[in-house]
Amino acid sequence: MNIKVLEIKVSSKWQEKRWVAKLKEKYFTVGMAGHIDHGKTTLTKALTNIDTDRLMEEKARGISIELGYAPIKTEKNIHVSIVDVPGHERFIRQMIAGVAGIDLVMMVIAADEGVMPQTKEHLEILSFLGIKQAIIVITKIDQVDDEMLDIVTLDITETLESSPFHEAQMFFVDSVSGKGLSELKQAIFEKLEQMDFRDRHGSFRMPIDQVFTVQGQGTIVRGTVYEGSVHKASSLVVLPLEKKVRARNIQVHHQDVEVAHAGQRTAINLGGANREDIERGDVLVSSDHFLVTDTIDVSIRFVDDLQFPVKQRAPVKMHVGTSEVMGKLVFFDRNVVQENVGEVLCQVRLEKEIVVRRGDRFILRRPTPVETIGGGWVIDPKGDTYRFGEKTVEMLQKKKEGSPKDLVTDALKDHFLLSVDELVQATSLDIDEVKQILKEDAIIPLPKGKYTLKLLVDRLGETILDQIVSYHEAYPMRLGMNKAEMIQSLDGSYPKIMMEYTIETFIEEERLKKVNQFIAKADFQPHLPKKWEKRMEEVIEDLHNDGLTVQKWEEYVNNSTISSQQGDELEVFLLQTNQAYRLTEDLIIHKTALEDAIKRLKENTEDSFSLNDAKEVWNISRKYLIPILELLDELGITKRHDSERYWG
């Protein structure tokens, strides 16, 4: 018997809103940099109530050796991880690994000492890494008088004049007494509110900075998620060794979570890997979009005060992400650099492969005598062998600036959606040249004269699939995620026209399906959660056994061991999958009971029947009789005319 699917209002709408709110949360990492013993760890503890010095050696020596992380959460869905990076010169590699993934830096300077050597080196490193957002924090103000504080402030101002942070806000605090802390915390939150957060919708990438084992759980890696999101049970790859693993469990600041996003400090329990397989500097990824390389074309700027000249093929230590690899520096237009000469286009050839992308920032240090010599960004992760000479430098310059196709691609990557006129403005290319590039397969035309990249559509599609999978895991009894809620969850991250196109494309490709207003994976079927399956089946059986004379739904739930929330979900599941039908606001009836009742009524009536005929056949009160007959009318099984009903 064919029965039409009824449109149903989901009773637990508030859960959808919570789901969307969760997806709109922003995650940032704030770095705490500065000279040794200038109060970074004490300030972190004052802001978070967490002591990030956890190693016995750190406690004994009173200095930070490894990276320390502590969380802060605002009231506006902004989650902040504060990373306390070591200030001692011997631990500079940990410092580089720590600041490589931050969005905002707090440069900490003690009022009783002022600007020190590590202060200047940290400023240079932050500059090379392209970090532009900073807050200057002067600590230990209770230990100096006003005159000393004025001298230190002037010294700091002069030091910052030639740095990217010359306009940074300055705050005066004392972490012990708490003076100035509330103003500082408010400034951090206000600053982050104005900032764009990391690309949580791209391919997942997390450089690993810690690897360890926990008895009974296996191998665990930690790091800051650079881009994308990772879900529990996701299949991942450890690069460069190309080891396939699975995310058995995910934690963010010691709390189990189903998904971790870009900007979050994350620990992942890996299945399929031994502790000996993985090391600091490896990268955990979710796709094949990432390159493994040992020859990298780069743009470098050297420090102002080199201790010694940097010669052709000089040995260098390259710090990118959390990796630290030896290599040599290859120039194509000079044999030595004795001072900061501006941008130098050259190449780094490494002793082992690493994972980098175009645009990634790095630091170069001399292995002996140890010093930071410069830093820059990756022009091309897959460099080749080139001849010495100006032609190679010209080629690298063009590669750095990008071809016309690269310019169009970069503009679309930045804006997602542009018209022909907008692309001409963004690239300064001729309109005919832009139109020719837009004919390529990698670019997709959308309604209203807009264009986007196939790469972005695929990436958005994978994001939507990931969210749908997570939704299925959270709500296995529902038909899928409401399409309007899905689009709202990505609002601000992608243009609506692009989301609509991607969803329709994935439906056409049978990767997704649409049931009424709900979006689901093509192969998904609503089902009872395994954990509660037996208990819910008992509730369904009770409903079935009561036939036409059902109890109020809440009574079935109250008489069971499932919660009221689970009861709401089960009711929606039964109605949406047509295993049950609603009679009144409080009553639902099992599908089999309804079918049996229809069969008995048909066998005992002619082409039409009256209300009394139905009452005689079913032997039920008007409390049930009227709603059941009205349900048959609604389903099109019967048609009422005056006091008679005719079979449809």
Side-chain angles (χ1 to χ4, degrees):
M1 175 172 50
N2 293 323
I3 299 177
K4 293 192 299 181
V5 176
L6 297 177
E7 293 286 335
I8 301 160
K9 290 185 179 179
V10 179
S11 61
S12 50
K13 187 75 174 176
W14 62 274
Q15 289 178 317
E16 296 277 1
K17 291 180 179 178
R18 283 181 62 195
W19 178 267
V20 172
K22 186 71 177 172
L23 291 170
K24 284 178 168 290
E25 292 181 340
K26 297 181 178 181
Y27 304 92
F28 295 99
T29 301
V30 175
M32 196 85 72
H35 193 77
I36 183 174
D37 201 31
H38 274 207
K40 297 186 298 298
T41 303
T42 306
L43 178 58
T44 301
K45 185 176 181 180
L47 291 171
T48 67
N49 295 319
I50 294 175
D51 186 354
T52 55
D53 275 354
R54 61 197 186 284
L55 300 179
M56 190 177 297
E57 186 181 355
E58 292 176 330
K59 298 287 188 185
R61 297 170 61 180
I63 61 174
S64 298
I65 299 171
E66 286 292 343
L67 307 174
Y69 290 83
I72 305 180
K73 184 179 185 297
T74 72
E75 297 178 355
K76 298 184 178 181
N77 286 340
I78 296 178
H79 298 254
V80 182
S81 292
I82 291 187
V83 52
D84 172 19
V85 299
H88 195 282
E89 62 179 352
R90 289 176 55 192
F91 308 123
I92 200 75
R93 71 179 183 89
Q94 285 93 329
M95 182 268 174
I96 293 171
V99 300
I102 70 173
D103 304 287
L104 168 70
V105 65
M106 282 189 280
M107 176 55 65
V108 179
I109 305 170
D112 59 346
E113 288 193 333
V115 176
M116 298 293 283
Q118 248 59 61
T119 310
K120 294 180 178 179
E121 185 169 17
H122 285 198
L123 283 170
E124 284 184 327
I125 289 171
L126 292 165
S127 174
F128 290 141
L129 291 175
I131 295 167
K132 297 180 174 61
Q133 302 295 334
I135 292 175
I136 310 302
V137 185
I138 301 176
T139 58
K140 305 184 181 183
I141 60 172
D142 283 358
Q143 298 182 23
V144 299
D145 56 26
D146 291 344
E147 184 179 355
M148 179 64 180
L149 194 58
D150 288 340
I151 294 172
V152 168
T153 303
L154 180 61
D155 183 29
I156 294 170
T157 303
E158 291 176 350
T159 301
L160 294 176
E161 279 181 359
S162 59
S163 80
F165 312 123
H166 59 277
E167 294 182 352
Q169 287 179 281
M170 193 176 295
F171 291 86
F172 301 83
V173 305
D174 189 89
S175 303
V176 178
S177 67
K179 189 182 296 182
L181 287 178
S182 60
E183 293 84 354
L184 173 61
K185 187 179 287 190
Q186 183 64 29
I188 294 169
F189 296 152
E190 289 177 356
K191 191 91 171 172
L192 294 176
E193 272 186 344
Q194 301 167 9
M195 290 172 56
D196 294 330
F197 59 106
R198 291 173 181 267
D199 182 9
R200 64 191 285 183
H201 302 300
S203 299
F204 169 72
R205 173 166 62 144
M206 187 184 85
I208 296 167
D209 59 50
Q210 291 177 357
V211 190
F212 56 96
T213 57
V214 173
Q215 189 171 4
Q217 296 186 35
T219 303
I220 296 173
V221 298
R222 278 203 193 116
T224 299
V225 181
Y226 271 30
E227 55 192 313
S229 301
V230 59
H231 295 263
K232 187 176 178 179
S234 295
S235 295
L236 304 170
V237 180
V238 180
L239 295 176
L241 64 158
E242 298 186 359
K243 179 76 174 177
K244 293 183 178 180
V245 295
R246 184 172 60 86
R248 293 166 58 185
N249 192 40
I250 303 173
Q251 284 194 348
V252 174
H253 292 302
H254 308 293
Q255 299 294 319
D256 288 344
V257 296
E258 293 295 318
V259 58
H261 301 290
Q264 286 187 301
R265 177 67 179 169
T266 305
I268 303 177
N269 185 346
L270 297 181
N274 296 321
R275 166 66 184 85
E276 296 75 22
D277 296 333
I278 306 172
E279 63 183 10
R280 181 183 190 143
D282 288 344
V283 181
L284 199 58
V285 301
S286 63
S287 75
D288 56 1
H289 295 165
F290 299 95
L291 293 170
V292 174
T293 179
D294 58 8
T295 305
I296 308 169
D297 296 340
V298 297
S299 166
I300 294 178
R301 182 170 60 83
F302 291 89
V303 299
D304 292 331
D305 301 314
L306 284 168
Q307 291 185 37
F308 301 97
V310 180
K311 297 181 179 179
Q312 175 73 288
R313 298 184 180 273
V316 293
K317 189 173 288 186
M318 185 177 194
H319 297 263
V320 57
T322 59
S323 63
E324 175 189 2
V325 183
M326 288 296 300
K328 58 186 177 183
L329 200 54
V330 179
F331 299 122
F332 298 106
D333 60 348
R334 70 198 70 207
N335 287 307
V336 65
V337 172
Q338 298 189 16
E339 58 186 6
N340 181 6
V341 291
E343 181 186 59
V344 176
L345 302 181
C346 55
Q347 192 174 77
V348 180
R349 297 178 186 172
L350 301 173
E351 294 180 359
K352 68 176 187 177
E353 292 183 320
I354 61 171
V355 180
V356 289
R357 298 181 80 168
R358 176 180 166 89
D360 280 359
R361 295 278 181 161
F362 63 87
I363 300 294
L364 291 181
R365 304 199 83 218
R366 197 196 308 266
T368 179
V370 177
E371 67 168 329
T372 300
I373 61 172
W377 62 279
V378 175
I379 296 173
D380 186 353
K382 274 290 186 184
D384 206 342
T385 303
Y386 312 126
R387 290 178 178 271
F388 185 91
E390 286 298 327
K391 287 187 177 180
T392 294
V393 176
E394 290 172 7
M395 179 273 295
L396 291 175
Q397 183 67 33
K398 289 180 180 178
K399 190 183 287 191
K400 174 198 160 192
E401 294 172 354
S403 65
K405 180 181 175 181
D406 292 333
L407 294 175
V408 170
T409 299
D410 288 344
L412 289 174
K413 281 182 179 177
D414 288 340
H415 300 282
F416 289 164
L417 213 61
L418 292 172
S419 66
V420 173
D421 290 341
E422 289 168 336
L423 279 166
V424 170
Q425 291 176 356
T427 62
S428 300
L429 295 173
D430 182 82
I431 188 168
D432 292 332
E433 193 171 19
V434 169
K435 287 181 176 179
Q436 189 63 35
I437 294 169
L438 292 177
K439 293 178 182 178
E440 300 198 10
D441 293 339
I443 298 175
I444 296 175
L446 295 180
K448 299 182 180 180
K450 300 290 186 176
Y451 292 85
T452 191
L453 295 173
K454 184 178 184 301
L455 170 68
L456 296 177
V457 170
D458 290 342
R459 200 180 274 184
L460 172 57
E462 291 301 323
T463 297
I464 291 172
L465 279 172
D466 285 345
Q467 289 193 13
I468 292 294
V469 168
S470 295
Y471 193 87
H472 289 332
E473 291 172 354
Y475 306 108
M477 291 186 285
R478 298 188 186 181
L479 292 177
M481 189 175 185
N482 189 298
K483 181 183 175 183
E485 300 289 352
M486 161 61 73
I487 290 175
Q488 185 186 351
S489 73
L490 296 175
D491 184 37
S493 299
Y494 291 96
K496 184 176 179 181
I497 187 175
M498 187 174 171
M499 290 187 273
E500 293 276 8
Y501 174 86
T502 303
I503 291 171
E504 292 305 316
T505 299
F506 271 50
I507 291 173
E508 289 175 9
E509 294 174 354
E510 298 184 348
R511 300 173 71 181
L512 292 173
K513 65 181 177 183
K514 187 179 178 186
V515 182
N516 302 327
Q517 71 269 39
F518 303 106
I519 303 295
K521 277 199 72 182
D523 59 354
F524 174 76
Q525 293 298 329
H527 58 277
L528 301 177
K530 287 187 177 180
K531 184 177 180 180
W532 305 103
E533 185 174 13
K534 186 174 180 181
R535 302 178 196 184
M536 289 183 172
E537 284 176 345
E538 291 173 354
V539 176
I540 298 170
E541 184 65 23
D542 289 342
L543 179 68
H544 175 266
N545 291 338
D546 283 347
L548 300 182
T549 55
V550 292
Q551 307 172 55
K552 290 183 178 180
W553 177 251
E554 66 178 17
E555 293 180 18
Y556 289 107
V557 176
N558 292 338
N559 292 332
S560 71
T561 55
I562 65 174
S563 68
S564 59
Q565 181 180 329
Q566 292 161 349
D568 290 343
E569 288 290 320
L570 178 58
E571 182 184 26
V572 171
F573 168 70
L574 294 174
L575 294 171
Q576 286 187 334
T577 57
N578 288 338
Q579 296 181 57
Y581 296 93
R582 185 173 295 287
L583 295 180
T584 68
E585 184 178 348
D586 300 323
L587 302 177
I588 67 173
I589 184 173
H590 197 282
K591 174 184 178 182
T592 304
L594 181 64
E595 290 176 346
D596 290 344
I598 295 169
K599 182 179 179 183
R600 282 191 287 125
L601 190 58
K602 276 191 172 183
E603 290 174 349
N604 290 280
T605 59
E606 301 299 331
D607 291 341
S608 66
F609 61 91
S610 66
L611 186 147
N612 287 332
D613 292 333
K615 179 177 174 62
E616 186 176 337
V617 172
W618 289 338
N619 191 27
I620 56 176
S621 68
R622 292 177 65 87
K623 172 184 175 181
Y624 300 105
L625 181 63
I626 301 301
I628 293 173
L629 291 176
E630 289 177 348
L631 175 61
L632 297 185
D633 294 340
E634 188 177 359
L635 294 173
I637 295 169
T638 59
K639 186 175 182 181
R640 182 180 176 184
H641 184 70
D642 294 332
S643 61
E644 290 287 307
R645 279 182 168 81
Y646 295 84
W647 292 106

